[in-house]
Amino acid sequence: MSSLEEPLGLDKLPSLSTIDSGLGYCWIEGKTCGSLNSYKEDFKEYRREAFIWRHHKRENTHNESENRYPSKHTTNHQQNLYCNDTGPRDITNKIFKGMPSFVRIVEVGPRDGLQNEKNMVPTSVKIELIHRLVSSGLSVVEATSFVSPKWVPQLADAKDVVEAVKNIEGARLPVLTPNLKGFEAAVAAGAKEIAVFASASESFSKANINCTIEESLARYRDIINSCKKLDIPVRGYVSCVVGCPVEGAISPSKVAYVAKQLHEMGCMEISLGDTIGIGTPGTVIPMLEAVMEVVPVEKLAVHFHDTYGQSLPNILVSLQMGISVVDSSVAGLGGCPYAKGASGNVATEDVVYMLHGLGIKTNVDLRKILQTGDFICKYLGRPSGSKVAVAYKM
Protein backbone atom coordinates (compact mmCIF):
# COMPACT_ATOMS: atom_id res chain seq x y z
CA MET A 1 0.00 0.00 0.00
CA SER A 2 1.57 3.23 -1.00
CA SER A 3 1.52 6.40 -3.02
CA LEU A 4 -1.91 7.98 -3.48
CA GLU A 5 -1.35 11.70 -3.80
CA GLU A 6 1.61 14.07 -3.72
CA PRO A 7 4.65 12.13 -2.55
CA LEU A 8 7.21 13.30 -0.05
CA GLY A 9 10.67 13.47 -1.60
CA LEU A 10 12.79 10.40 -0.97
CA ASP A 11 15.70 12.61 -0.02
CA LYS A 12 13.72 13.71 3.04
CA LEU A 13 13.18 10.21 4.31
CA PRO A 14 15.52 7.78 6.06
CA SER A 15 16.46 4.43 4.62
CA LEU A 16 15.17 1.29 6.30
CA SER A 17 18.56 0.77 7.93
CA THR A 18 18.11 3.94 9.96
CA ILE A 19 14.78 2.87 11.45
CA ASP A 20 15.54 -0.77 12.10
CA SER A 21 16.51 -0.42 15.74
CA GLY A 22 13.75 -1.66 17.99
CA LEU A 23 11.29 -2.69 15.30
CA GLY A 24 12.11 -6.37 15.63
CA TYR A 25 11.24 -6.27 19.31
CA CYS A 26 7.92 -7.24 20.82
CA TRP A 27 5.59 -4.76 22.43
CA ILE A 28 3.95 -6.09 25.61
CA GLU A 29 1.40 -3.79 27.20
CA GLY A 30 3.13 -0.69 25.93
CA LYS A 31 6.68 -1.83 26.78
CA THR A 32 9.45 -2.79 24.42
CA CYS A 33 11.79 -5.63 25.19
CA GLY A 34 15.31 -4.72 24.22
CA SER A 35 17.27 -7.84 25.07
CA LEU A 36 16.63 -11.52 24.60
CA ASN A 37 16.55 -12.15 28.34
CA SER A 38 14.13 -9.31 29.07
CA TYR A 39 12.02 -10.35 26.10
CA LYS A 40 11.73 -13.91 27.40
CA GLU A 41 10.87 -12.77 30.90
CA ASP A 42 8.26 -10.21 29.86
CA PHE A 43 6.82 -12.46 27.19
CA LYS A 44 6.54 -15.52 29.42
CA GLU A 45 3.21 -14.54 30.93
CA TYR A 46 1.86 -13.11 27.68
CA ARG A 47 2.68 -16.27 25.75
CA ARG A 48 0.39 -18.41 27.88
CA GLU A 49 -2.67 -16.84 26.30
CA ALA A 50 -1.23 -15.57 23.04
CA PHE A 51 -2.91 -18.18 20.86
CA ILE A 52 -6.04 -18.89 22.91
CA TRP A 53 -8.57 -16.74 21.13
CA ARG A 54 -11.62 -17.30 23.27
CA HIS A 55 -14.07 -15.35 21.16
CA HIS A 56 -13.13 -16.71 17.77
CA LYS A 57 -12.88 -20.50 17.77
CA ARG A 58 -12.35 -22.08 14.41
CA GLU A 59 -12.62 -25.69 13.29
CA ASN A 60 -9.32 -27.46 12.93
CA THR A 61 -9.31 -29.08 9.51
CA HIS A 62 -5.64 -29.35 8.76
CA ASN A 63 -6.07 -32.99 7.77
CA GLU A 64 -8.28 -31.98 4.84
CA SER A 65 -5.51 -31.03 2.49
CA GLU A 66 -6.26 -29.69 -0.96
CA ASN A 67 -2.84 -29.18 -2.41
CA ARG A 68 -3.43 -28.63 -6.09
CA TYR A 69 0.19 -27.85 -6.79
CA PRO A 70 1.70 -30.75 -8.76
CA SER A 71 5.20 -30.03 -7.49
CA LYS A 72 7.83 -32.44 -8.62
CA HIS A 73 9.67 -31.83 -5.35
CA THR A 74 7.44 -31.56 -2.34
CA THR A 75 3.79 -32.53 -2.64
CA ASN A 76 4.06 -35.73 -0.62
CA HIS A 77 6.61 -34.21 1.72
CA GLN A 78 4.21 -31.39 2.61
CA GLN A 79 1.43 -33.80 3.43
CA ASN A 80 3.73 -35.82 5.66
CA LEU A 81 4.70 -32.71 7.59
CA TYR A 82 1.26 -32.18 9.02
CA CYS A 83 0.07 -35.79 8.99
CA ASN A 84 3.11 -37.27 10.73
CA ASP A 85 1.87 -39.73 13.34
CA THR A 86 5.29 -39.95 14.93
CA GLY A 87 5.32 -36.33 16.12
CA PRO A 88 4.03 -35.06 19.47
CA ARG A 89 0.30 -34.78 18.84
CA ASP A 90 -0.40 -32.35 21.64
CA ILE A 91 2.07 -29.81 20.25
CA THR A 92 0.73 -30.26 16.73
CA ASN A 93 -2.84 -29.71 17.89
CA LYS A 94 -1.86 -26.56 19.74
CA ILE A 95 -0.13 -25.18 16.66
CA PHE A 96 -3.09 -25.82 14.37
CA LYS A 97 -5.86 -25.09 16.85
CA GLY A 98 -7.89 -22.11 15.68
CA MET A 99 -6.48 -22.11 12.14
CA PRO A 100 -9.11 -21.43 9.48
CA SER A 101 -10.10 -24.20 7.10
CA PHE A 102 -10.40 -21.69 4.25
CA VAL A 103 -8.47 -18.49 3.54
CA ARG A 104 -9.69 -15.85 1.12
CA ILE A 105 -6.82 -14.24 -0.75
CA VAL A 106 -7.21 -10.63 -1.86
CA GLU A 107 -5.02 -10.05 -4.90
CA VAL A 108 -3.58 -6.52 -4.99
CA GLY A 109 -1.15 -6.89 -7.89
CA PRO A 110 -3.01 -4.85 -10.54
CA ARG A 111 -3.12 -1.83 -8.22
CA ASP A 112 -0.58 -2.01 -5.40
CA GLY A 113 1.75 -4.13 -7.48
CA LEU A 114 1.84 -2.05 -10.65
CA GLN A 115 1.43 1.49 -9.37
CA ASN A 116 5.16 1.97 -8.71
CA GLU A 117 6.31 0.65 -12.07
CA LYS A 118 8.33 3.32 -13.84
CA ASN A 119 7.57 2.05 -17.33
CA MET A 120 3.96 2.44 -18.36
CA VAL A 121 2.02 -0.80 -18.52
CA PRO A 122 -0.54 -0.77 -21.35
CA THR A 123 -4.19 -0.89 -20.37
CA SER A 124 -4.63 -4.08 -22.37
CA VAL A 125 -1.94 -5.84 -20.29
CA LYS A 126 -3.61 -4.75 -17.03
CA ILE A 127 -6.96 -6.04 -18.25
CA GLU A 128 -5.44 -9.35 -19.32
CA LEU A 129 -3.69 -9.63 -15.95
CA ILE A 130 -6.99 -9.19 -14.09
CA HIS A 131 -8.70 -11.80 -16.28
CA ARG A 132 -5.90 -14.28 -15.65
CA LEU A 133 -5.97 -13.68 -11.90
CA VAL A 134 -9.71 -14.26 -11.73
CA SER A 135 -9.44 -17.40 -13.86
CA SER A 136 -6.89 -18.80 -11.40
CA GLY A 137 -9.60 -18.85 -8.74
CA LEU A 138 -8.99 -15.55 -6.96
CA SER A 139 -12.35 -14.18 -5.86
CA VAL A 140 -11.16 -10.67 -4.97
CA VAL A 141 -8.81 -8.69 -7.21
CA GLU A 142 -8.08 -5.04 -6.49
CA ALA A 143 -8.30 -3.57 -9.97
CA THR A 144 -6.90 -0.03 -9.81
CA SER A 145 -7.02 3.32 -8.02
CA PHE A 146 -8.82 6.52 -8.95
CA VAL A 147 -6.01 8.85 -7.95
CA SER A 148 -4.66 11.95 -9.64
CA PRO A 149 -2.57 10.88 -12.66
CA LYS A 150 -0.22 13.73 -11.77
CA TRP A 151 1.06 11.73 -8.81
CA VAL A 152 0.45 8.16 -9.99
CA PRO A 153 0.62 8.23 -13.81
CA GLN A 154 0.66 4.43 -13.98
CA LEU A 155 -3.00 4.37 -12.94
CA ALA A 156 -4.21 7.16 -15.21
CA ASP A 157 -6.21 4.56 -17.15
CA ALA A 158 -8.35 3.58 -14.13
CA LYS A 159 -11.59 4.45 -15.91
CA ASP A 160 -10.73 2.30 -18.95
CA VAL A 161 -9.64 -0.64 -16.79
CA VAL A 162 -12.82 -0.64 -14.70
CA GLU A 163 -15.08 -0.31 -17.73
CA ALA A 164 -13.36 -3.33 -19.29
CA VAL A 165 -13.52 -5.64 -16.27
CA LYS A 166 -16.60 -4.53 -14.35
CA ASN A 167 -18.76 -7.35 -15.70
CA ILE A 168 -16.37 -10.20 -14.95
CA GLU A 169 -18.35 -12.87 -13.15
CA GLY A 170 -17.24 -14.72 -10.05
CA ALA A 171 -15.02 -12.01 -8.56
CA ARG A 172 -15.14 -8.78 -6.62
CA LEU A 173 -13.03 -5.98 -8.12
CA PRO A 174 -12.58 -3.19 -5.54
CA VAL A 175 -10.89 0.07 -6.49
CA LEU A 176 -9.06 2.48 -4.22
CA THR A 177 -10.47 6.00 -3.88
CA PRO A 178 -8.45 8.53 -1.82
CA ASN A 179 -11.12 11.24 -1.89
CA LEU A 180 -14.70 12.05 -2.88
CA LYS A 181 -13.67 13.10 -6.36
CA GLY A 182 -12.01 9.74 -6.94
CA PHE A 183 -15.05 7.96 -5.53
CA GLU A 184 -17.41 9.76 -7.91
CA ALA A 185 -15.18 8.90 -10.88
CA ALA A 186 -15.04 5.25 -9.80
CA VAL A 187 -18.80 4.97 -9.53
CA ALA A 188 -19.26 6.66 -12.90
CA ALA A 189 -16.92 4.06 -14.46
CA GLY A 190 -18.96 1.22 -13.00
CA ALA A 191 -17.00 0.24 -9.87
CA LYS A 192 -19.05 -2.00 -7.58
CA GLU A 193 -16.77 -1.98 -4.54
CA ILE A 194 -14.62 0.77 -3.02
CA ALA A 195 -11.53 0.80 -0.81
CA VAL A 196 -10.27 3.64 1.38
CA PHE A 197 -6.83 4.11 2.87
CA ALA A 198 -5.85 5.52 6.27
CA SER A 199 -2.59 5.38 8.18
CA ALA A 200 -1.68 4.67 11.79
CA SER A 201 1.26 7.06 11.36
CA GLU A 202 0.65 10.80 11.38
CA SER A 203 3.80 11.48 9.38
CA PHE A 204 3.01 8.86 6.76
CA SER A 205 -0.55 10.14 6.40
CA LYS A 206 0.71 13.64 5.68
CA ALA A 207 3.32 12.34 3.24
CA ASN A 208 1.01 9.94 1.44
CA ILE A 209 -2.35 11.68 1.24
CA ASN A 210 -1.52 15.24 2.32
CA CYS A 211 -3.66 15.27 5.44
CA THR A 212 -3.65 14.28 9.09
CA ILE A 213 -5.15 11.04 10.32
CA GLU A 214 -8.25 12.81 11.60
CA GLU A 215 -8.66 14.71 8.34
CA SER A 216 -8.39 11.47 6.39
CA LEU A 217 -11.01 9.81 8.58
CA ALA A 218 -13.39 12.73 8.03
CA ARG A 219 -12.79 12.41 4.29
CA TYR A 220 -13.54 8.69 4.33
CA ARG A 221 -16.64 9.17 6.43
CA ASP A 222 -18.08 11.20 3.55
CA ILE A 223 -17.12 8.52 1.04
CA ILE A 224 -18.55 5.69 3.13
CA ASN A 225 -21.81 7.58 3.71
CA SER A 226 -22.10 8.03 -0.05
CA CYS A 227 -21.43 4.31 -0.55
CA LYS A 228 -24.18 3.41 1.89
CA LYS A 229 -26.69 5.37 -0.17
CA LEU A 230 -25.67 3.40 -3.27
CA ASP A 231 -25.35 0.09 -1.42
CA ILE A 232 -21.67 -0.15 -2.37
CA PRO A 233 -19.44 -2.16 0.02
CA VAL A 234 -16.27 -0.50 1.33
CA ARG A 235 -12.99 -2.09 2.30
CA GLY A 236 -10.68 -0.15 4.61
CA TYR A 237 -6.89 -0.21 4.73
CA VAL A 238 -4.68 0.81 7.62
CA SER A 239 -1.03 1.37 6.71
CA CYS A 240 2.11 1.41 8.86
CA VAL A 241 0.61 -0.96 11.41
CA VAL A 242 4.02 -1.98 12.76
CA GLY A 243 6.40 0.79 11.78
CA CYS A 244 6.78 4.00 9.79
CA PRO A 245 9.80 5.17 7.76
CA VAL A 246 9.63 8.54 9.53
CA GLU A 247 8.30 7.83 13.04
CA GLY A 248 9.78 4.38 13.59
CA ALA A 249 7.78 1.97 15.75
CA ILE A 250 4.00 2.47 15.80
CA SER A 251 2.06 1.66 18.95
CA PRO A 252 -0.61 -1.04 18.57
CA SER A 253 -3.08 1.31 20.26
CA LYS A 254 -2.77 3.76 17.34
CA VAL A 255 -3.51 0.99 14.87
CA ALA A 256 -6.50 -0.12 16.94
CA TYR A 257 -7.86 3.43 17.02
CA VAL A 258 -7.80 3.87 13.24
CA ALA A 259 -9.17 0.37 12.61
CA LYS A 260 -12.00 0.97 15.07
CA GLN A 261 -12.93 4.25 13.39
CA LEU A 262 -13.10 2.61 9.96
CA HIS A 263 -15.12 -0.28 11.35
CA GLU A 264 -17.62 2.02 13.03
CA MET A 265 -17.97 4.06 9.84
CA GLY A 266 -19.15 0.93 8.05
CA CYS A 267 -16.14 -0.71 6.39
CA MET A 268 -17.08 -4.33 5.80
CA GLU A 269 -13.43 -5.41 6.07
CA ILE A 270 -10.24 -3.79 7.32
CA SER A 271 -6.83 -4.77 5.98
CA LEU A 272 -3.88 -4.17 8.31
CA GLY A 273 -0.77 -3.35 6.31
CA ASP A 274 2.89 -3.58 7.26
CA THR A 275 3.66 -1.05 4.55
CA ILE A 276 7.45 -1.13 4.76
CA GLY A 277 7.75 -4.80 5.65
CA ILE A 278 9.58 -4.58 8.97
CA GLY A 279 7.20 -6.59 11.15
CA THR A 280 8.00 -9.89 12.83
CA PRO A 281 5.67 -12.27 14.68
CA GLY A 282 6.86 -10.56 17.86
CA THR A 283 5.47 -7.20 16.72
CA VAL A 284 2.53 -8.47 14.69
CA ILE A 285 0.96 -10.48 17.54
CA PRO A 286 0.47 -7.56 19.97
CA MET A 287 -0.72 -5.34 17.10
CA LEU A 288 -3.37 -7.87 16.11
CA GLU A 289 -4.36 -8.44 19.70
CA ALA A 290 -4.96 -4.71 20.19
CA VAL A 291 -7.05 -4.45 17.02
CA MET A 292 -9.05 -7.59 17.82
CA GLU A 293 -10.14 -5.96 21.08
CA VAL A 294 -12.10 -3.36 19.08
CA VAL A 295 -12.83 -5.02 15.70
CA PRO A 296 -14.18 -8.57 15.22
CA VAL A 297 -11.54 -10.90 13.82
CA GLU A 298 -13.83 -11.94 10.96
CA LYS A 299 -13.69 -8.32 9.74
CA LEU A 300 -9.89 -8.25 9.58
CA ALA A 301 -7.32 -9.02 6.89
CA VAL A 302 -3.53 -8.78 6.86
CA HIS A 303 -1.30 -7.18 4.25
CA PHE A 304 2.44 -7.81 4.53
CA HIS A 305 5.37 -6.56 2.49
CA ASP A 306 8.40 -8.82 2.39
CA THR A 307 11.30 -6.41 2.89
CA TYR A 308 12.88 -8.49 5.66
CA GLY A 309 11.52 -11.84 4.49
CA GLN A 310 9.02 -12.00 7.36
CA SER A 311 5.73 -12.07 5.45
CA LEU A 312 5.03 -15.81 5.62
CA PRO A 313 5.80 -16.19 9.35
CA ASN A 314 3.68 -13.09 9.98
CA ILE A 315 0.82 -14.60 7.99
CA LEU A 316 1.18 -17.88 9.86
CA VAL A 317 0.80 -16.28 13.30
CA SER A 318 -2.10 -14.23 11.95
CA LEU A 319 -3.84 -17.44 10.93
CA GLN A 320 -3.21 -18.89 14.38
CA MET A 321 -4.93 -15.83 15.81
CA GLY A 322 -8.02 -16.40 13.66
CA ILE A 323 -7.37 -14.20 10.62
CA SER A 324 -8.76 -15.78 7.46
CA VAL A 325 -8.19 -13.07 4.82
CA VAL A 326 -4.74 -12.38 3.38
CA ASP A 327 -3.66 -9.75 0.85
CA SER A 328 -0.92 -10.66 -1.62
CA SER A 329 0.44 -9.69 -5.00
CA VAL A 330 1.21 -11.98 -7.93
CA ALA A 331 4.96 -12.41 -8.41
CA GLY A 332 5.52 -10.25 -5.32
CA LEU A 333 4.94 -7.06 -7.29
CA GLY A 334 4.84 -3.76 -5.48
CA GLY A 335 6.82 -1.71 -3.00
CA CYS A 336 6.76 1.49 -1.03
CA PRO A 337 8.18 4.75 -2.47
CA TYR A 338 8.54 6.18 1.04
CA ALA A 339 11.18 3.80 2.37
CA LYS A 340 14.42 3.13 0.54
CA GLY A 341 14.90 -0.58 0.11
CA ALA A 342 11.31 -1.59 0.90
CA SER A 343 10.43 -4.52 -1.32
CA GLY A 344 7.15 -5.69 -2.74
CA ASN A 345 4.13 -7.44 -1.32
CA VAL A 346 4.27 -11.06 -0.30
CA ALA A 347 3.90 -13.15 -3.44
CA THR A 348 0.52 -14.76 -4.04
CA GLU A 349 2.25 -17.92 -5.27
CA ASP A 350 4.16 -18.25 -1.99
CA VAL A 351 1.06 -17.67 0.13
CA VAL A 352 -0.97 -20.25 -1.80
CA TYR A 353 1.84 -22.79 -1.59
CA MET A 354 2.12 -22.38 2.18
CA LEU A 355 -1.63 -22.51 2.75
CA HIS A 356 -2.07 -25.63 0.65
CA GLY A 357 0.83 -27.19 2.51
CA LEU A 358 -1.07 -26.53 5.73
CA GLY A 359 -4.17 -28.18 4.33
CA ILE A 360 -5.98 -24.84 4.14
CA LYS A 361 -8.24 -24.36 1.14
CA THR A 362 -8.01 -21.23 -1.04
CA ASN A 363 -9.85 -22.20 -4.26
CA VAL A 364 -6.77 -20.92 -6.11
CA ASP A 365 -5.09 -23.04 -8.75
CA LEU A 366 -1.38 -22.70 -8.01
CA ARG A 367 -0.30 -23.71 -11.49
CA LYS A 368 -2.49 -21.00 -13.04
CA ILE A 369 -1.26 -18.32 -10.66
CA LEU A 370 2.33 -19.32 -11.48
CA GLN A 371 1.53 -18.91 -15.17
CA THR A 372 -0.04 -15.52 -14.47
CA GLY A 373 3.04 -14.38 -12.60
CA ASP A 374 5.18 -15.52 -15.51
CA PHE A 375 2.96 -13.54 -17.88
CA ILE A 376 3.36 -10.21 -16.08
CA CYS A 377 7.04 -10.72 -15.28
CA LYS A 378 7.85 -11.40 -18.93
CA TYR A 379 6.14 -8.15 -19.85
CA LEU A 380 7.96 -6.21 -17.12
CA GLY A 381 11.23 -7.84 -18.12
CA ARG A 382 12.34 -9.07 -14.73
CA PRO A 383 12.30 -12.26 -12.66
CA SER A 384 9.45 -13.09 -10.32
CA GLY A 385 9.64 -12.07 -6.67
CA SER A 386 8.03 -15.40 -5.76
CA LYS A 387 10.36 -18.01 -4.33
CA VAL A 388 7.93 -20.73 -5.36
CA ALA A 389 8.00 -19.49 -8.95
CA VAL A 390 11.79 -19.46 -8.97
CA ALA A 391 12.01 -22.93 -7.41
CA TYR A 392 9.49 -24.42 -9.81
CA LYS A 393 11.66 -23.42 -12.77
CA MET A 394 14.78 -25.06 -11.32
XYZ file of all heavy atoms in Angstrom, residues 29-62:
300
model
N 2.096 -4.769 26.377
C 1.397 -3.794 27.200
C 2.133 -2.469 27.236
O 2.381 -1.869 28.280
C 1.210 -4.338 28.625
C 0.326 -5.586 28.656
C 0.107 -6.086 30.060
O 0.701 -5.511 30.984
O -0.649 -7.043 30.221
N 2.529 -1.997 26.032
C 3.130 -0.694 25.925
C 4.621 -0.664 26.161
O 5.269 0.361 26.017
N 5.251 -1.802 26.529
C 6.680 -1.835 26.782
C 7.387 -2.461 25.585
O 6.820 -3.240 24.844
C 6.984 -2.666 28.031
C 6.363 -2.123 29.292
C 6.799 -2.927 30.492
C 6.257 -4.332 30.465
N 6.658 -5.114 31.641
N 8.642 -2.113 25.418
C 9.453 -2.792 24.416
C 10.521 -3.585 25.131
O 11.053 -3.163 26.152
C 10.124 -1.793 23.455
O 10.900 -0.874 24.234
C 9.087 -1.042 22.650
N 10.813 -4.748 24.570
C 11.790 -5.628 25.187
C 13.071 -5.539 24.388
O 13.107 -5.972 23.242
C 11.259 -7.065 25.197
S 9.599 -7.188 25.887
N 14.108 -5.003 24.964
C 15.315 -4.719 24.222
C 16.278 -5.864 24.124
O 17.032 -5.944 23.176
N 16.328 -6.739 25.108
C 17.269 -7.837 25.067
C 16.540 -9.157 25.041
O 15.358 -9.237 25.359
C 18.173 -7.797 26.304
O 17.433 -8.111 27.463
N 17.251 -10.211 24.663
C 16.625 -11.522 24.601
C 16.141 -11.969 25.964
O 15.045 -12.505 26.107
C 17.624 -12.538 24.035
C 17.111 -13.975 23.906
C 15.915 -14.002 22.970
C 18.215 -14.886 23.388
N 16.941 -11.726 26.995
C 16.547 -12.152 28.337
C 15.313 -11.409 28.828
O 14.377 -11.996 29.356
C 17.702 -11.931 29.326
C 18.826 -12.921 29.095
O 18.597 -13.995 28.563
N 20.042 -12.546 29.479
N 15.300 -10.077 28.622
C 14.132 -9.308 29.067
C 12.917 -9.657 28.244
O 11.792 -9.672 28.730
C 14.419 -7.809 28.968
O 14.653 -7.428 27.631
N 13.130 -9.944 26.962
C 12.020 -10.354 26.104
C 11.400 -11.636 26.637
O 10.193 -11.747 26.780
C 12.515 -10.562 24.678
C 11.501 -11.231 23.779
C 10.555 -10.474 23.103
C 11.474 -12.615 23.631
C 9.620 -11.077 22.292
C 10.553 -13.226 22.834
C 9.633 -12.441 22.158
O 8.704 -13.036 21.362
N 12.246 -12.625 26.940
C 11.730 -13.910 27.405
C 10.963 -13.754 28.706
O 9.908 -14.354 28.917
C 12.883 -14.896 27.589
C 13.471 -15.407 26.282
C 14.588 -16.399 26.545
C 15.118 -16.968 25.232
N 16.233 -17.905 25.483
N 11.503 -12.921 29.597
C 10.870 -12.769 30.902
C 9.530 -12.058 30.796
O 8.531 -12.484 31.357
C 11.807 -11.980 31.827
C 11.337 -11.981 33.273
C 12.409 -11.447 34.194
O 13.601 -11.580 33.873
O 12.048 -10.883 35.225
N 9.501 -10.965 30.016
C 8.260 -10.212 29.862
C 7.228 -10.971 29.046
O 6.032 -10.843 29.241
C 8.532 -8.865 29.171
C 9.261 -7.902 30.073
O 9.220 -8.122 31.310
O 9.867 -6.945 29.563
N 7.728 -11.770 28.090
C 6.817 -12.458 27.186
C 6.281 -13.748 27.781
O 5.307 -14.292 27.296
C 7.561 -12.771 25.884
C 6.646 -13.093 24.736
C 5.836 -12.112 24.184
C 6.595 -14.366 24.197
C 5.005 -12.394 23.123
C 5.761 -14.649 23.142
C 4.976 -13.657 22.603
N 6.893 -14.230 28.848
C 6.535 -15.521 29.416
C 5.060 -15.583 29.791
O 4.334 -16.516 29.442
C 7.398 -15.798 30.645
C 7.234 -17.210 31.210
C 8.213 -17.433 32.347
C 8.104 -18.849 32.891
N 9.057 -19.069 34.013
N 4.598 -14.551 30.499
C 3.206 -14.538 30.931
C 2.276 -14.319 29.753
O 1.235 -14.945 29.619
C 3.003 -13.416 31.964
C 1.603 -13.401 32.570
C 1.323 -14.668 33.397
O 2.297 -15.250 33.925
O 0.160 -15.060 33.498
N 2.686 -13.410 28.846
C 1.858 -13.105 27.680
C 1.662 -14.322 26.797
O 0.600 -14.567 26.255
C 2.538 -11.986 26.889
C 1.931 -11.708 25.547
C 0.814 -10.877 25.426
C 2.460 -12.284 24.392
C 0.260 -10.629 24.191
C 1.901 -12.038 23.161
C 0.817 -11.211 23.062
O 0.252 -10.950 21.849
N 2.710 -15.136 26.664
C 2.681 -16.267 25.750
C 1.643 -17.299 26.136
O 1.120 -18.018 25.300
C 4.076 -16.900 25.713
C 4.197 -18.052 24.744
C 5.621 -18.568 24.717
N 6.030 -19.000 26.047
C 7.245 -19.492 26.299
N 8.142 -19.559 25.340
N 7.559 -19.875 27.519
N 1.320 -17.384 27.427
C 0.387 -18.406 27.883
C -0.976 -18.285 27.225
O -1.682 -19.258 27.031
C 0.223 -18.316 29.409
C 1.509 -18.667 30.164
C 1.328 -18.467 31.644
N 2.573 -18.723 32.366
C 2.731 -18.495 33.667
N 1.729 -18.012 34.374
N 3.886 -18.742 34.236
N -1.343 -17.047 26.881
C -2.666 -16.844 26.301
C -2.598 -16.327 24.871
O -3.612 -16.031 24.282
C -3.465 -15.865 27.162
C -3.746 -16.389 28.555
C -4.669 -15.458 29.324
O -5.107 -14.447 28.736
O -4.937 -15.732 30.491
N -1.402 -16.231 24.324
C -1.235 -15.566 23.036
C -2.048 -16.196 21.917
O -2.528 -15.513 21.034
C 0.253 -15.562 22.639
N -2.215 -17.530 21.961
C -2.911 -18.178 20.865
C -4.228 -18.794 21.301
O -4.782 -19.620 20.613
C -2.008 -19.251 20.246
C -0.778 -18.675 19.656
C 0.440 -18.817 20.282
C -0.839 -17.951 18.486
C 1.592 -18.270 19.733
C 0.297 -17.408 17.932
C 1.514 -17.560 18.563
N -4.731 -18.388 22.466
C -6.035 -18.892 22.906
C -7.046 -17.787 22.658
O -7.256 -16.919 23.491
C -6.000 -19.273 24.401
C -4.898 -20.306 24.659
C -7.347 -19.846 24.840
C -4.700 -20.644 26.119
N -7.650 -17.811 21.499
C -8.568 -16.742 21.130
C -9.987 -17.185 21.481
O -10.668 -17.832 20.715
C -8.382 -16.391 19.654
C -6.958 -16.096 19.455
C -6.023 -16.878 18.857
C -6.255 -14.975 19.977
N -4.789 -16.301 18.945
C -4.897 -15.145 19.623
C -6.635 -13.848 20.710
C -3.914 -14.221 19.963
C -5.660 -12.927 21.052
C -4.324 -13.114 20.692
N -10.389 -16.789 22.667
C -11.617 -17.298 23.267
C -12.857 -16.971 22.457
O -13.810 -17.729 22.421
C -11.758 -16.719 24.692
C -10.599 -17.112 25.566
C -10.606 -16.305 26.848
N -10.423 -14.889 26.599
C -9.258 -14.320 26.366
N -8.168 -15.052 26.313
N -9.155 -13.032 26.172
N -12.834 -15.810 21.808
C -14.067 -15.353 21.155
C -14.175 -15.807 19.707
O -15.179 -15.576 19.064
C -14.120 -13.826 21.189
C -13.963 -13.262 22.571
N -14.853 -13.533 23.580
C -12.998 -12.473 23.108
C -14.463 -12.910 24.686
N -13.332 -12.277 24.424
N -13.125 -16.423 19.194
C -13.126 -16.715 17.772
C -12.607 -18.123 17.504
O -11.576 -18.315 16.882
C -12.263 -15.696 17.015
C -12.544 -14.288 17.414
N -13.713 -13.645 17.090
C -11.821 -13.408 18.144
C -13.695 -12.432 17.589
N -12.556 -12.264 18.227
N -13.303 -19.118 17.981
C -12.879 -20.499 17.766
C -13.137 -20.901 16.324
O -14.142 -20.576 15.739
C -13.653 -21.431 18.700
C -13.327 -21.210 20.176
C -14.094 -22.182 21.046
C -13.754 -21.979 22.507
N -14.531 -22.896 23.369
N -12.179 -21.622 15.782
C -12.347 -22.083 14.410
C -12.083 -23.579 14.355
O -11.295 -24.127 15.111
C -11.378 -21.358 13.467
C -11.691 -19.873 13.354
C -10.830 -19.241 12.276
N -11.065 -17.818 12.180
C -12.048 -17.278 11.487
N -12.891 -18.039 10.835
N -12.196 -15.980 11.441
N -12.754 -24.239 13.429
C -12.619 -25.687 13.295
C -11.243 -26.036 12.766
O -10.737 -25.424 11.832
C -13.685 -26.207 12.330
C -13.651 -27.720 12.176
C -14.699 -28.194 11.196
O -15.428 -27.335 10.674
O -14.786 -29.395 10.964
N -10.632 -27.005 13.362
C -9.320 -27.460 12.925
C -9.496 -28.509 11.839
O -9.967 -29.604 12.096
C -8.572 -28.048 14.130
C -7.248 -28.644 13.710
O -6.787 -28.397 12.603
N -6.646 -29.419 14.591
N -9.119 -28.144 10.616
C -9.306 -29.078 9.514
C -8.010 -29.272 8.739
O -8.014 -29.407 7.530
C -10.400 -28.568 8.551
O -10.007 -27.278 8.065
C -11.736 -28.488 9.239
N -6.902 -29.270 9.466
C -5.637 -29.347 8.764
C -5.394 -30.712 8.129
O -4.455 -30.869 7.367
C -4.475 -28.998 9.696
C -4.316 -29.966 10.840
N -5.062 -29.854 11.993
C -3.512 -31.035 10.997
C -4.710 -30.825 12.823
N -3.774 -31.547 12.246
